[in-house]
C-alpha cells in the first residue's frame, strides 16, 4: 500500500507473499486429504473472510462456502471469554464434510464452542483449518487439523484480523508495536 499510514504502529510478521505461499500449501493438503469429496468451507466471520477467500481458491474440490458470525472480543485486545453467535448458518450441513476456517486460535474457547456447535448439526465430519495459533495463551486445547503459522504471544492484525474493527484490510499480518 503506497500510503503507509500504519507503518509507525504495525510491525510486519508475515508478508503477503509468505501468507500466499502457506495458503497454497494448506489448499493442496486439504485437496489431497478429501480425495474429490464435496466440502463445506465454513468461514468464521469476521476475521477469516480474507483467509477463507484465498484458501477457497487453492482448494480443488467441489466446494460450498458457508458463513458463521461469532464475537468473542470486545473492542480491545482482551478476550471476553463469552462467545456470541452473530450470524447463524444459512443452510443445514447434516451429512456433509465441514471444514471450519478460523483466523486465529488464541485461548481456544471460541473454536471449542464452534466445533461443538457444528457437531450438533449432524455433519459427516468436522475439521479445523486455522491460519494462526498462539499456543502461549491456550485455555482450552482444541485440535487444529490444518495450521498456517504458530505465532508468539503478541496481538496481531491485518489479513482480516482487527483491533477495534481496524486494520482488517492490511495485506500482511503484523503486530501492534508498543508505544
Ligand atoms: P479465542 O477464543 O481466545 O481463541 O479467540 C478467538 C478469536 O479472538 C479469534 O477468532 C479472533 O477474532 C480474536 N483474536 C484472538 N487473538 C487475536 C489477535 O492477536 N488479533 C486479532 N484478533 C484476535
Amino acid at each position: 500500500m503506497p500510503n503507509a499510514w500504519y507503518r509507525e504502529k504495525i510491525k510486519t510478521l508475515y508478508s503477503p507473499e509468505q501468507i500466499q505461499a502457506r495458503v497454497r500449501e494448506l489448499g493442496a493438503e486439504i485437496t489431497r486429504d478429501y480425495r474429490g469429496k464435496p466440502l463445506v468451507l465454513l468461514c468464521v466471520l469476521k476475521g477469516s473472510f480474507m483467509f477463507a477467500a484465498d484458501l477457497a481458491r487453492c482448494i480443488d474440490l467441489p466446494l460450498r462456502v458457508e458463513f458463521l458470525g461469532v464475537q468473542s472480543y470486545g473492542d480491545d485486545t482482551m478476550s471476553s471469554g463469552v462467545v456470541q453467535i452473530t450470524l447463524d448458518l444459512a443452510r443445514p450441513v447434516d451429512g456433509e464434510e465441514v471444514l471450519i476456517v478460523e483466523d486465529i486460535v488464541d485461548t481456544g474457547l471460541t473454536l471449542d464452542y464452534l466445533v461443538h456447535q457444528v457437531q450438533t448439526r449432524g455433519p459427516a465430519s468436522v475439521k479445523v483449518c486455522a491460519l494462526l495459533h498462539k499456543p502461549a495463551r491456550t485455555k482450552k486445547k482444541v485440535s487444529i487439523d490444518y495450521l498456517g503459522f504458530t505465532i508468539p504471544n503478541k496481538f496481531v492484525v491485518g489479513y482480516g484480523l482487527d483491533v477495534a474493527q481496524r486494520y482488517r484490510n492490511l495485506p500482511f499480518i503484523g503486530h501492534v508495536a508498543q508505544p
Side-chain angles (χ1 to χ4, degrees), residues 72-73 102-104 106-110 134 155-156 161-162:
S72 54
Y73 271 81
E102 254 291 36
D103 51 356
I104 183 165
D106 187 28
T107 62
L109 293 170
T110 305
K134 240 190 261 181
F155 199 83
V156 292
L161 290 145
D162 74 307

Side-chain angles (χ1 to χ4, degrees), residues 94-169:
D94 55 295
E96 300 194 79
E97 316 282 346
V98 176
L99 182 62
I100 298 175
V101 180
E102 254 291 36
D103 51 356
I104 183 165
V105 181
D106 187 28
T107 62
L109 293 170
T110 305
L111 187 57
D112 181 63
Y113 175 82
L114 280 176
V115 170
H116 284 102
Q117 268 295 314
V118 175
Q119 265 159 356
T120 64
R121 318 286 173 100
S125 72
V126 183
K127 283 189 175 186
V128 173
C129 178
L131 179 62
L132 304 170
H133 182 212
K134 240 190 261 181
R137 300 247 311 160
T138 303
K139 280 193 187 154
K140 190 94 196 174
K141 215 169 167 339
V142 191
S143 90
I144 302 171
D145 302 278
Y146 305 96
L147 174 64
F149 305 101
T150 300
I151 62 164
N153 188 8
K154 287 185 171 170
F155 199 83
V156 292
V157 294
Y159 196 64
L161 290 145
D162 74 307
V163 59
Q165 302 300 322
R166 300 269 307 276
Y167 303 116
R168 293 194 198 273
N169 57 324

